[in-house]
Amino acid sequence: MQKNLRNLTHTKRQKRSRRGLSEKPASNTQDQTPNTKSRLLIVWGLLMAAGLGLAINLYQLQIVRGPKLTQKARNQQMVNLRPFMPRRPVVDRSNNVLAIDRPVYTLYAHPKLFSKSNEAIAERLAPILNKDAAELVKTFQSKKSGIVLASALPEEIIDRITSLQFNGLELIQKYSRFYPPDDLVADVVGYVNIDRRGQAGVEYSQEKLLERPVQTVQLSRSGNGALMPDHAPEGFLHFDDLRLQLTIDSRLQRAARTALKQQMEKFDAKRGAVIVMDASDGSLLALVCQPTYNPNKYSTSDISLFKNWTVADLYEPGSTFKPLNVAIALENSVIKPNDVFNDPGFIKVTDRTIKNALNNSYGRINIAQILQHSSNIGMVQIIQRLQPSVYYNWLERLGLGQKVDTDLPFEVSGRLKSQEQFIASPIEPATTSFGQGLSLTPLQLVQMHGALANGGKLVTPHVVRGLIDSKGQMHYSPNRTTPRQIFSATTVNTVVKMMESVVLEGSGKVSQIPGYRIAGKTGTAQKASPSGGYIRGARITSFVAILPVASPRYVVLALVDEPKGENAYGSTVAAPIVKSVMEALIPIEEIPPSQAGD
């Protein structure tokens, strides 16, 4: 009974409990509805805020920072490449190559990759590289990899190396400037240094013409870093076939060098030079300096040889300047061609006494004979007829005290006393009359004599003809200064005929060539000292020639500095050089012999 009561009581409690549970959810649902809405609003707000933030960030990335980010991505994906372009070749007027870029190779050894013994490889490689086999073995033992065995190897050597088919040898190609004539035209062409920059000659002065234009291109990079030519412009690796053509004739250059070296050796001279110019336009057919250097081995040469002293050094021209003074006097009508002067062997100018070179006196002589005998006394008397101020102005018109307008580098200005000093001191015009007290470059003297050979015009001496292609078509020719008329044609014709008498009857007899009329003038000048005065016993001998006399066109100058011996004069040292050069020039330029009556 009690048990049943307990069960009934428990059943009632359970019923009450179920009723209580069924009544509570109704009130909780009403309480939770606002809470759910709040949660939804919060979530919605967060989503809106996140969306707004994302939109703002997207705007910043795509609109505000878009171009910069695009460029940054492009920079990471692209690489700027400036392809290597060989320098243009240099050729002479007959298209003989004087300078060219050629492929050379650096040979590396990696002994760890050798499939044969060090001794076996050294034995086969040594004769090709002109090295000792035992030394090569020691070299191989010094490192396991990356050993430089040789640099700047030409292709013919490379062919022999590759034919060995040895593992562990690596060849890296690069381009090197090569000068096929070696030292023949070094003073004109110059050389380039290890950075491929011109340092002398036209390699320096014509750098812009010799460097081919090259554009920097962008190439895309793949995921592994390899370059892809997708964005490369078509033909960006192709280059023009233009070459720099010079006016130099290698045949004449070689003949001039041979003649100069022979006389320099004979008289144990310090240095010498030969210049040949076509006075019709100023083109230089030959320009030789001795001693010189090999541009293929410039690093082993004396750096003082890198400057071309015919444009970079000054000297006193001496008697080779006398024909120009005669032209000035004729042009100013202070003398006539047949005037006669008395040469007693000396003349006093203020407190100075001027004498002839060998203390000779020639008595009564005409102007042609003054040049024949190289009379200093006669020249002083001629120039004394000119007002010093007028004479000085004429010297300036000739270009004295100025640089020569040329395409060769490092030219220097000549030296002439100030006008006040020149006019105030009578000794200045007197010494200038026979080519002392002033200084110029050898090239400038050739330019001035060119005016005697071309009808009186001062032309621009030059070695650059222009840029030509492989077919010989001219693509660029430099603009040059318009020639200035200095003397009248009548004056220069008179002076040239007087200079012809120097070759026929005077100090230039040794330069005669049968069948050809040649004009010339010798010079044996004292050598000025940098500290003032003159170097005792030192002289510069020279000879300048103009040919052919009937229709003058070519000027040939030979200079020999400090020849030794009692018989070292312009007539004995320099004149034979000029004769040899003219004998080569005549067939090269096809100069016909002089006709009777010319």
Side-chain angles (χ1 to χ4, degrees):
M1 180 74 180
Q2 290 178 348
K3 185 177 180 180
N4 291 335
L5 285 173
R6 283 197 298 270
N7 290 338
L8 180 61
T9 302
H10 179 68
T11 302
K12 288 179 179 179
R13 287 176 180 171
Q14 286 180 335
K15 288 180 180 179
R16 284 198 299 269
S17 176
R18 290 192 193 102
R19 281 197 298 268
L21 287 172
S22 63
E23 289 171 359
K24 283 182 180 178
S27 63
N28 286 344
T29 300
Q30 292 176 355
D31 293 338
Q32 287 178 356
T33 299
N35 293 337
T36 302
K37 289 182 179 179
S38 297
R39 289 192 188 99
L40 288 173
L41 285 173
I42 291 170
V43 171
W44 182 81
L46 290 173
L47 290 173
M48 288 297 294
L52 181 61
L54 185 62
I56 292 172
N57 192 39
L58 195 61
Y59 176 80
Q60 284 284 332
L61 291 174
Q62 289 193 337
I63 307 300
V64 178
R65 298 173 58 199
K68 289 184 178 180
L69 292 173
T70 301
Q71 187 60 44
K72 188 174 181 180
R74 211 168 266 148
N75 291 341
Q76 291 175 345
Q77 298 164 2
M78 308 287 285
V79 59
N80 290 328
L81 181 66
R82 192 175 188 273
F84 170 82
M85 286 291 176
R87 284 169 76 91
R88 291 185 173 116
V90 180
V91 298
D92 72 358
R93 66 174 185 162
S94 300
N95 288 321
N96 296 306
V97 177
L98 306 179
I100 192 169
D101 274 12
R102 66 169 183 173
V104 294
Y105 299 80
T106 299
L107 176 63
Y108 291 88
H110 307 287
K112 66 179 182 180
L113 301 177
F114 286 173
S115 56
K116 295 186 178 182
S117 68
N118 291 348
E119 290 76 12
I121 292 179
E123 186 178 348
R124 297 287 302 278
L125 205 56
I128 298 176
L129 300 179
N130 196 24
K131 292 179 180 290
D132 181 69
E135 290 296 322
L136 271 182
V137 172
K138 291 181 181 178
T139 302
F140 294 154
Q141 293 171 346
S142 64
K143 288 172 64 177
K144 291 185 177 181
S145 183
I147 302 171
V148 178
L149 296 183
S151 58
L153 291 174
E155 287 188 313
E156 55 269 23
I157 298 295
I158 298 308
D159 292 340
R160 295 174 63 187
I161 293 173
T162 54
S163 67
L164 298 176
Q165 296 184 341
F166 285 155
N167 292 331
L169 297 180
E170 180 185 15
L171 292 165
I172 303 297
Q173 184 189 47
K174 64 177 182 178
Y175 277 87
S176 176
R177 199 66 162 168
F178 178 59
Y179 303 91
D182 289 331
D183 63 349
L184 179 64
V185 204
D187 296 285
V188 175
V189 176
Y191 71 98
V192 298
N193 63 11
I194 195 170
D195 296 320
R196 301 182 53 77
R197 310 311 300 176
Q199 300 297 299
V202 295
E203 291 276 30
Y204 176 82
S205 65
Q206 307 303 311
E207 185 95 48
K208 291 182 179 179
L209 292 182
L210 290 169
E211 286 285 352
R212 286 188 171 96
V214 55
Q215 59 178 335
T216 300
V217 296
Q218 280 195 329
L219 299 180
S220 59
R221 198 193 300 270
S222 65
N224 63 0
L227 296 178
M228 299 185 298
D230 300 352
H231 299 275
E234 186 176 351
F236 80 101
L237 285 177
H238 295 292
F239 51 84
D240 62 64
D241 66 346
L242 298 182
R243 57 194 67 186
L244 184 69
Q245 186 176 50
L246 304 185
T247 60
I248 295 293
D249 189 297
S250 293
R251 297 167 297 174
L252 189 61
Q253 184 86 355
R254 188 169 284 105
R257 183 179 68 168
T258 301
L260 177 61
K261 289 177 73 173
Q262 286 177 350
Q263 287 297 92
M264 286 180 62
E265 290 171 4
K266 180 178 179 180
F267 289 91
D268 191 22
K270 179 181 177 181
R271 62 180 181 175
V274 174
I275 303 175
V276 182
M277 185 180 80
D278 184 341
S280 65
D281 62 0
S283 57
L284 298 177
L285 306 183
L287 196 160
V288 177
C289 294
Q290 286 293 323
T292 187
Y293 66 97
N294 187 341
N296 292 313
K297 303 175 182 177
Y298 70 88
S299 59
T300 63
S301 302
D302 182 351
I303 60 173
S304 66
L305 299 176
F306 296 157
K307 68 173 183 177
N308 183 335
W309 72 275
T310 65
V311 298
D313 283 357
L314 300 175
Y315 82 111
E316 294 192 359
S319 296
T320 53
F321 198 72
K322 289 174 179 175
L324 296 160
N325 281 326
V326 171
I328 292 172
L330 285 169
E331 198 71 23
N332 284 275
S333 302
V334 296
I335 59 171
K336 294 184 177 63
N338 295 322
D339 282 355
V340 175
F341 294 84
N342 182 46
D343 178 0
F346 69 93
I347 187 171
K348 291 205 71 173
V349 179
T350 61
D351 60 341
R352 308 281 185 90
T353 299
I354 295 173
K355 299 179 180 180
N356 289 321
L358 299 176
N359 295 323
N360 292 331
S361 61
Y362 300 103
R364 293 182 63 78
I365 52 176
N366 60 30
I367 298 171
Q369 290 170 326
I370 288 174
L371 294 179
Q372 288 172 30
H373 302 300
S374 206
S375 167
N376 292 342
I377 311 308
M379 287 306 306
V380 171
Q381 293 178 61
I382 288 174
I383 292 304
Q384 282 179 336
R385 294 189 178 185
L386 270 172
Q387 290 290 331
S389 59
V390 173
Y391 183 34
Y392 190 88
N393 289 337
W394 270 89
L395 294 175
E396 286 191 317
R397 283 187 66 185
L398 276 175
L400 278 172
Q402 304 164 32
K403 286 184 179 180
V404 176
D405 182 16
T406 181
D407 45 25
L408 290 167
F410 315 129
E411 68 272 18
V412 295
S413 300
R415 289 178 186 166
L416 185 63
K417 301 287 176 63
S418 68
Q419 187 168 12
E420 294 78 10
Q421 189 177 359
F422 191 89
I423 294 173
S425 177
I427 195 65
E428 295 299 335
T431 56
T432 303
S433 71
F434 51 87
Q436 291 194 279
L438 75 155
S439 59
L440 41 65
T441 63
L443 187 64
Q444 191 166 31
L445 183 74
V446 170
Q447 180 192 40
M448 292 176 180
H449 274 271
L452 300 178
N454 64 18
K457 299 186 184 74
L458 210 60
V459 295
T460 301
H462 62 274
V463 295
V464 175
R465 183 169 177 261
L467 289 176
I468 63 168
D469 60 24
S470 56
K471 297 179 181 178
Q473 184 72 31
M474 183 66 68
H475 287 253
Y476 167 80
S477 183
N479 293 322
R480 297 187 180 90
T481 306
T482 304
R484 290 190 293 121
Q485 190 76 37
I486 302 296
F487 303 119
S488 67
T490 302
T491 292
V492 297
N493 287 337
T494 301
V495 174
V496 168
K497 288 178 180 177
M498 289 179 178
M499 292 174 67
E500 182 184 17
S501 73
V502 175
V503 174
L504 293 174
E505 305 173 41
S507 57
K509 286 181 180 179
V510 72
S511 65
Q512 292 178 6
I513 298 176
Y516 288 87
R517 293 177 61 190
I518 296 163
K521 184 69 191 79
T522 55
T524 305
Q526 292 176 283
K527 193 170 178 183
S529 171
S531 59
Y534 294 93
I535 302 172
R536 186 178 180 83
R539 60 182 69 171
I540 293 183
T541 60
S542 57
F543 185 76
V544 60
I546 295 173
L547 77 154
V549 168
S551 53
R553 179 171 177 179
Y554 302 97
V555 178
V556 183
L557 172 68
L559 283 165
V560 178
D561 189 6
E562 294 190 26
K564 295 176 178 61
E566 293 297 322
N567 194 38
Y569 299 100
S571 58
T572 57
V573 180
I577 299 172
V578 172
K579 179 181 179 179
S580 296
V581 174
M582 290 189 297
E583 287 175 336
L585 176 67
I586 287 169
I588 288 173
E589 289 296 291
E590 299 180 351
I591 304 172
S594 302
Q595 300 296 320
D598 277 355

